[in-house]
Amino acid sequence: MQFRQQLSYRKPLTPTLLVKMLLDPMLVIGTLLALAGYYGDLIDRNYVLLSLVIFAITFPGTWSKHANLRSELAHIFTSWPLLVGILLLFGYVTTFLEQFDRDVVVGWVVITPLVMLAAHMTIRKLLARLRGRQDGRVAVIVGASGVGVQMRDRLREESLVGIECRGFFDDRVPGRTALGDAGEAAVLGQLKDIANYVKLHAIDIIYVALPMSSQPRILRLLDDLKDTTASIYFVPDIFIFDMIQARIDDVAGIPVVAVCETPFHGMNGFVKRVSDIVLSALILLLILPLMLLLAIAVKLDSPGPVLFIQRRYGLDGRDIVVYKFRSMTVCEDGDKVVQATRLDKRVTRLGAFIRKTSLDELPQFINVIQGRMSIVGPRPHAVAHNEEYRKLIKGYMIRHKVKPGITGWAQVNGFRGETDTVDKMKMRIDYDLDYLRQWTLWLDLKIIARTVLLVMMDRKAY
């Protein structure tokens, strides 16, 4: 199993970045308002309120200038039904949906994904045509290392960047580089040959992909290149680290590389919190009668409190209190907590059912409203389990850089229920860290949808 690692950059607010952030929200809202005008529906405060909700859910947009038609179709026609389902369900429960013309709503649901697809592909073609009119830039890479080869491959894959890689410069023989013997033709020379080559062949860009331990060679190289006009970029060899939301930033003008950071900084944190509040409020409205019935059933089924209240680790490893419907005859919350196992005698008759169907987790939506948890995130473990596994699994505590969730990426990938071995727990942690690396709002919605499908079929919870 392999997980992606990415290095992101805090870019200035360029026109391209602004388009990426605003394109999808504006298309969805614009289509809604256009249809309202077409059907003669008055654009009143209800439309303004709905537009604000749509903007909060869809911002920032996910358009990418590098996606192809197939990936666009897969993304739009999987994410759009989830978004529509949430909005329509919320509108139906609150009767807010009755404020809008039925033709407008139906037209908006059907037409918007087509508008998004057409807009995405049109803008991509315009950018490609614009790029084609410009003279492409030419680059060479210093250091045929793993990160250097990755840089070359990325330039080839993302042709819209408009940079042609001519080859590598490296002091090692081809067989000892990351290119192998088959890559001999890609090696243009040694480091001492770069300056002359750059001047003779009008090279625009030089990417230095030497390891951090090569500082003396890098300094000599930079000195040799002072007589050229090429732009020089250093490609840091930091991919040896297990990076979580890595990005380049600056502190008081000093450049720093974030190797491990939460995905919920800035606008992402705002989007995550708004989606948690909106979805939790909607779900609580729907399940309130069910929660009352379950509370009565728990009280009648066995002696003890209705709610099982346990200390767990939350954001940044701080203690939080988590609510569950009591499903066992004990309420363990000490230094030693024994995980529930199959046919565990501590599980009550009703408890076996509500654990299997995850109904015991429903009170945790109150934790989400309180700000202690998120709907989606790494599942919180008992404090005793945290203290046990943090000593056994490297990187275990990194999962606490985000709020714990009612459901998570690990749970929908088969790691729900008992973790009776360290290897099983390690696999759960691997998925938790992968969630931190690749988080998007659409991933959250995908996990929620998969959770609903899995709950009734999962045999791993007891």
Side-chain angles (χ1 to χ4, degrees):
M1 179 181 60
Q2 294 182 342
F3 294 117
R4 299 183 301 175
Q5 287 198 156
Q6 297 183 11
L7 178 64
S8 62
Y9 303 84
R10 281 195 171 178
K11 301 178 181 179
L13 193 59
T14 62
T16 302
L17 182 58
L18 195 61
V19 168
K20 179 176 181 178
M21 295 168 64
L22 294 176
L23 180 61
D24 284 350
M26 292 300 99
L27 287 174
V28 177
I29 295 172
T31 304
L32 174 67
L33 299 182
L35 285 169
Y38 176 78
Y39 285 104
D41 204 8
L42 178 64
I43 300 177
D44 56 10
R45 62 181 181 180
N46 292 323
Y47 277 102
V48 173
L49 179 59
L50 180 58
S51 298
L52 291 174
V53 172
I54 292 172
F55 186 85
I57 296 176
T58 58
F59 181 86
T62 57
W63 171 77
S64 171
K65 62 183 179 182
H66 306 301
N68 55 34
L69 177 60
R70 183 176 179 180
S71 62
E72 284 285 6
L73 286 169
H75 174 71
I76 292 175
F77 288 98
T78 54
S79 60
W80 178 245
L82 287 174
L83 174 62
V84 169
I86 292 170
L87 290 174
L88 292 183
L89 186 59
F90 175 76
Y92 175 77
V93 171
T94 61
T95 69
F96 187 57
L97 189 61
E98 298 176 3
Q99 310 301 317
F100 301 93
D101 186 284
R102 184 179 298 273
D103 291 334
V104 173
V105 174
V106 173
W108 178 67
V109 170
V110 174
I111 294 175
T112 300
L114 302 178
V115 171
M116 293 174 67
L117 180 64
H120 286 193
M121 301 309 296
T122 299
I123 293 177
R124 187 169 299 110
K125 288 183 179 180
L126 290 175
L127 287 175
R129 184 174 299 178
L130 180 63
R131 177 65 66 186
R133 292 177 181 175
Q134 298 175 351
D135 294 329
R137 291 172 292 172
V138 181
V140 294
I141 299 175
V142 181
S145 58
V147 68
V149 172
Q150 184 180 1
M151 186 73 195
R152 179 201 62 182
D153 294 344
R154 188 64 58 87
L155 291 175
R156 288 178 175 177
E157 293 169 3
E158 302 188 359
S159 57
L160 284 178
V161 173
I163 300 176
E164 175 194 352
C165 179
R166 289 282 175 84
F168 296 86
F169 286 86
D170 202 297
D171 287 339
R172 297 170 294 177
V173 296
R176 296 188 59 190
T177 68
L179 296 166
D181 293 325
E184 182 175 357
V187 179
L188 304 173
Q190 298 181 327
L191 268 63
K192 62 182 177 61
D193 304 318
I194 296 177
N196 285 334
Y197 185 92
V198 168
K199 286 184 284 187
L200 289 174
H201 295 85
I203 300 300
D204 302 296
I205 302 172
I206 301 170
Y207 293 107
V208 181
L210 296 174
M212 294 179 179
S213 58
S214 301
Q215 183 182 358
R217 286 196 297 163
I218 294 172
L219 292 176
R220 287 196 299 271
L221 173 66
L222 294 177
D223 192 57
D224 290 342
L225 293 173
K226 287 180 179 178
D227 192 33
T228 72
T229 59
S231 299
I232 303 172
Y233 295 90
F234 180 57
V235 185
D237 186 19
I238 63 173
F239 296 96
I240 58 174
F241 303 108
D242 182 17
M243 297 186 297
I244 305 292
Q245 291 292 326
R247 68 178 189 272
I248 293 178
D249 202 350
D250 71 84
V251 177
I254 299 176
V256 295
V257 178
V259 176
C260 183
E261 179 59 285
T262 175
F264 305 128
H265 54 79
M267 183 56 69
N268 283 350
F270 173 76
V271 171
K272 177 73 167 176
R273 184 60 182 148
V274 168
S275 64
D276 275 341
I277 292 174
V278 171
L279 292 178
S280 295
L282 170 62
I283 292 170
L284 283 171
L285 283 174
L286 292 172
I287 66 174
L288 184 58
L290 175 60
M291 289 180 64
L292 292 175
L293 290 175
L294 286 173
I296 296 171
V298 170
K299 195 65 179 177
L300 295 176
D301 182 59
S302 62
V306 170
L307 293 179
F308 169 42
I309 301 175
Q310 188 179 57
R311 291 180 305 115
R312 306 211 172 174
Y313 280 176
L315 181 64
D316 295 328
R318 301 188 186 98
D319 278 12
I320 61 171
V321 174
V322 173
Y323 308 133
K324 297 177 68 172
F325 281 123
R326 182 176 56 82
S327 60
M328 304 175 72
T329 57
V330 297
C331 295
E332 297 176 333
D333 190 26
D335 295 333
K336 180 67 175 177
V337 176
V338 181
Q339 280 192 336
T341 58
R342 191 177 298 277
L343 302 179
D344 196 314
K345 294 182 179 180
R346 298 172 301 165
V347 178
T348 65
R349 292 171 299 175
L350 178 65
F353 171 73
I354 64 175
R355 290 176 69 90
K356 186 178 182 58
T357 56
S358 293
L359 292 174
D360 61 326
E361 311 281 358
L362 294 183
Q364 289 173 22
F365 285 104
I366 300 174
N367 288 132
V368 177
I369 294 293
Q370 292 172 330
R372 298 174 184 172
M373 295 179 64
S374 289
I375 295 179
V376 180
R379 283 292 298 150
H381 300 153
V383 171
H385 294 155
N386 278 305
E387 293 304 318
E388 175 185 357
Y389 286 111
R390 71 188 299 177
K391 302 172 185 176
L392 302 174
I393 301 174
K394 187 177 181 180
Y396 178 89
M397 291 301 292
I398 296 176
R399 70 199 297 270
H400 297 100
K401 293 195 72 64
V402 299
K403 294 177 184 178
I406 298 176
T407 185
W409 189 225
Q411 283 62 45
V412 299
N413 279 285
F415 293 92
R416 175 173 175 254
E418 181 188 7
T419 49
D420 53 352
T421 67
V422 175
D423 287 341
K424 286 183 179 180
M425 180 61 80
K426 185 179 184 305
M427 290 297 294
R428 176 183 287 187
I429 302 308
D430 286 342
Y431 275 104
D432 288 341
L433 298 187
D434 185 53
Y435 171 76
L436 268 65
R437 293 186 189 99
Q438 61 168 313
W439 177 84
T440 63
L441 181 59
W442 298 121
L443 178 61
D444 275 2
L445 296 176
K446 176 182 176 182
I447 292 172
I448 292 171
R450 287 181 59 177
T451 299
V452 173
L453 295 176
L454 287 172
V455 158
M456 299 306 296
M457 298 181 292
D458 199 345
R459 298 294 181 267
K460 293 189 177 181
Y462 33 80

